[in-house]
Amino acid sequence: MAFDKDNIIDQLKDASITDLNDLVKSIEDEFGVSAAAPVAAAGAAGGDAATKDSYDVELTESGDQKVKAIKAIRDITGLGLKDAKGLVDKVPSVIKEGVSEDEANEIKEKLEAVGGTVTLK
């Protein structure tokens, strides 16, 4: 039996959506394949936000509790009082660079708890 590509294409043109759906399911079952798009190809269309693995935590606004913000920054970074005060006074300022998403969110929560506004980049 010869493979007649043109005949198959003509039959597909005349088929209904339901028939085509059944055909796809049958081919998947018969050959053990999936017609779903690969995850990597779908992720590439979403941009590089999905693949971002390190973040910079930036204090964009220190809020009205500057003393508490300074203490939080000292706790987070291990900086001295003068350096931590400098970061709070000169917003926007990067608090930490290249941290994981979990650590970035933890830092963000700590600074927002003392009235600061934080952006993850």
Side-chain angles (χ1 to χ4, degrees), residues 26-119:
S26 297
I27 291 172
E28 288 176 337
D29 292 341
E30 180 70 27
F31 298 105
V33 295
S34 174
V39 175
D48 60 345
T51 61
K52 188 166 178 122
D53 58 353
S54 66
Y55 294 84
D56 295 341
V57 181
E58 180 180 72
L59 181 66
T60 54
E61 209 172 298
S62 59
D64 57 349
Q65 301 178 23
K66 285 189 175 185
V67 173
K68 290 183 180 181
I70 292 169
K71 287 181 182 180
I73 289 175
R74 289 186 69 196
D75 182 48
I76 293 165
T77 62
L79 292 173
L81 179 62
K82 183 178 179 181
D83 294 330
K85 184 180 182 308
L87 289 175
V88 171
D89 289 340
K90 297 176 184 170
V91 290
S93 54
V94 176
I95 304 303
K96 263 195 160 179
E97 295 179 326
V99 297
S100 68
E101 183 178 5
D102 292 337
E103 185 178 357
N105 286 325
E106 184 179 314
I107 294 169
K108 181 178 180 181
E109 287 175 19
K110 286 180 181 179
L111 291 172
E112 287 178 343
V114 296
T117 304
V118 177
T119 304

Side-chain angles (χ1 to χ4, degrees), residues 10-41:
D10 288 336
Q11 289 178 1
L12 289 175
K13 287 180 185 177
D14 295 333
S16 69
I17 296 296
T18 306
D19 291 337
L20 293 175
N21 189 33
D22 291 341
L23 175 64
V24 169
K25 287 180 184 178
S26 297
I27 291 172
E28 288 176 337
D29 292 341
E30 180 70 27
F31 298 105
V33 295
S34 174
V39 175

